[in-house]
Structure formats: structure tokens, C-alpha cells
Amino acid sequence: MTTSSDKTSSDKTWLITGASSGLGLALAEAALRAGERVVGTARRAARFDALQARYGDRLLAVEHDVRDTDAAAGVVQRALEVFGRVDVLVNNAGVGQVGAAEEITDGQLRDMLDQHLLGPAAYVRAVLPHLRARGSGAIVQMSSQGGRRSFPAVGSYSAGKFALEGWSEALAGEVAPFGIRVLIVEPSRFRTEFNASEVLRTATPDPSYDAVTGAVRANMAEADGIQEGDPERGASVIRDVLDALDAPLRLPLGAEAVRNLRQAYASALDDVEKWARASESADFPGVPPAVRAF
């Protein structure tokens, strides 16, 4: 792996949403252990008390609900006032939701988009002028293997993550000329609070779908506490990839994510090849291929 050493660790400042638990907390702790600085957000700032006691003023804890998009710019401004810079923005805040399409209300679907697309977008818009002016920086979008491959009962969650990935892919091309990189992380199951009964959201079940989604619901709940992904190891991988000059746009995280996404890509490519002739026949005969700006 080719790495860049243009910045010492202690110079870096991270802004991590949802930094009081899960992979967000693991990334925050890894940065603080390395002598770096962290601005961490959570819905309840008291959740940072233990971290604050260990790392003092290198951690700035900010109470913020990522769905409050109007307040995102204020969080970024506070980070700049206290630490003078932001080097890495990690959009990590969010929760899971289980329910078939017919079970999920408009409000529940919008909430997934608010948390997983609109919230991150507000932070990106707020931090980009600073990163562009400096000509460097990174944006880490915490997606999911469910951001590339969906399955019954997680459609509303995947809707937010699919949207985040499409938006972020365009973003990556827009900001690359300014020296800013985008990394979309696609974790499988990690041993966090994600699957905990008091965290994972579930729609009111419709018995009509029991045979379709019942096993998925049970499996999501049973995974709590036995997930194979190690948040500390995951945070280390993310940090290493961010330092690589040849870093990818998308990073499956965890062995299950690698297996599932490899299968998803292969299946999608098989379908493209199988139906290529029928697809191509939809064009006007003899018209030259389109010339695009991308």
C-alpha cells in the first residue's frame, strides 16, 4: 500500500458525527490515541464524559442531532474556532430500520433519508469551503454493504445509504481537483449497538409478510453482541486506507461485506452481459455513440 506522509498525526483534526458509539467512537479513540484532535457529535453530549476525562481538550464534544441540518454549519464553525482546521469529516451518525415497504410509513422513510443523506450533505456543504481553501482533506461517508446490495425488510435503510453513495460518487469527482478525497465505507456487521433492541428501529409488522421478512427480523435482533466485525480493527483499516495514495472510492469493510459485494457485482455484471443485445437495440440505428463530459 502506497502511503502519504505529508502531515504529522498530531496536526490532524477529525470531525466525526455519531462519535459516541460504534465505528464513530472507534475512529475517535484511534485518532485521540495517535495524538490527533477530534470534534465529536452525539445527540447527548454526556455520552462523551469518559472520553473527555481521558483526552481532555483534544476532544471537543458537541451535542447535535444530524437531522438538524441548519445547525451543521455551526458545528463546523465551532471546530474551526477551537482547533483552527478540519482535516477529515466522517459522516457516521445514523441508525438501522427494519420493515417491508408496505410497513414503513412516509415519516419513517423520510427519517432514513434525513439521517443518511441530508444530514451528511449539510456537513459536507459546511466544511467544503475550508477544505477547498486549504487544498486538502478527506470526507468519509459511512455507508453499509446495504448501500450497494439490499434485501427484504431493509429497503428504507438501504434507500438512505444508496442515496448517500450516489451523491458521494458525484461529490468525489467534484472535489478531487481541489485535493480532497472521498471514501465511502461499506461495513458488514460490526459489534456495535446497531442491532440492539433499544437502537434498531422496527416497523409495526404486517402478518402478511411474516414468511418473507420474519427470518430477517429475527436475524437482525439475534446478531446483537455476536457480530464478527471488530470496531477497533475496522477503524484501523479506515485510517490506513485514508493514508493510501491509491485509496479506492468504495471500501467494503469486513469479510461478509467482501463476500456479499463481490457476489452483487458479479451478478449485476452477468445481467448486463446477458441482456446487452436487447438493451443496445433500443438506440436509433446508425447513430454514433454519445460524447459525454464524464
Side-chain angles (χ1 to χ4, degrees):
M1 179 184 291
T2 307
T3 60
S4 171
S5 57
D6 61 344
K7 183 184 297 299
T8 61
S9 287
S10 59
D11 288 336
K12 266 188 185 174
T13 297
W14 297 64
L15 197 171
I16 306 172
T17 68
S20 65
S21 64
L23 282 165
L25 175 58
L27 281 167
E29 289 190 296
L32 291 165
R33 283 196 303 268
E36 300 162 359
R37 298 167 296 189
V38 172
V39 181
T41 78
R43 295 182 190 181
R44 297 186 302 280
R47 298 191 68 179
F48 289 111
D49 287 352
L51 210 59
Q52 194 89 66
R54 291 203 302 276
Y55 295 104
D57 60 7
R58 282 196 291 112
L59 170 67
L60 173 63
V62 180
E63 193 162 288
H64 180 238
D65 186 327
V66 72
R67 293 171 294 186
D68 183 1
T69 54
D70 290 339
V75 177
V76 172
Q77 184 58 36
R78 181 92 186 279
L80 296 176
E81 290 169 355
V82 174
F83 292 137
R85 63 189 298 149
V86 172
D87 298 283
V88 185
L89 167 66
V90 182
N91 278 309
N92 171 73
V95 296
Q97 183 163 268
V98 181
E102 195 175 347
E103 298 168 340
I104 295 289
T105 66
D106 282 351
Q108 290 169 322
L109 181 56
R110 287 193 186 98
D111 191 60
M112 291 291 99
L113 295 172
D114 285 343
Q115 295 200 54
H116 300 135
L117 174 62
L118 299 180
Y123 269 102
V124 168
R125 286 194 301 270
V127 81
L128 270 181
H130 171 69
L131 299 183
R132 280 193 294 103
R134 287 193 20 246
S136 66
I139 297 167
V140 180
Q141 307 285 52
M142 297 301 294
S143 180
S144 165
Q145 62 177 339
R148 296 296 283 175
R149 176 182 184 268
S150 196
F151 51 90
V154 300
S156 62
Y157 175 75
S158 284
K161 294 301 190 181
F162 266 67
L164 175 67
E165 293 214 11
W167 187 84
S168 299
E169 186 169 341
L171 172 69
E174 294 162 3
V175 301
F178 302 102
I180 304 164
R181 64 174 51 183
V182 175
L183 177 65
I184 302 169
V185 182
E186 300 168 326
S188 48
R189 288 177 169 174
F190 277 72
R191 202 163 299 179
T192 69
E193 298 175 2
F194 184 90
N195 294 89
S197 59
E198 66 273 18
V199 175
L200 182 64
R201 298 180 179 182
T202 57
T204 302
D206 180 337
S208 305
Y209 288 94
D210 284 352
V212 180
T213 64
V216 175
R217 287 176 179 271
N219 183 257
M220 293 283 282
E222 292 165 358
D224 186 35
I226 61 170
Q227 301 97 321
E228 60 270 39
D230 179 345
E232 287 192 14
R233 290 173 181 268
S236 179
V237 171
I238 293 169
R239 287 174 60 86
D240 286 346
V241 171
L242 272 180
D243 283 339
L245 295 176
D246 55 351
L249 172 63
R250 288 181 169 86
L251 175 69
L253 197 63
E256 183 189 54
V258 172
R259 290 194 304 272
N260 285 342
L261 294 181
R262 180 181 284 139
Q263 181 184 35
Y265 283 120
S267 177
L269 183 59
D270 285 347
D271 282 344
V272 170
E273 297 297 344
K274 179 178 179 180
W275 294 98
R277 183 166 296 180
S279 299
E280 291 164 351
S281 71
D283 288 353
F284 288 108
V287 174
V291 177
R292 296 279 191 161
F294 55 85

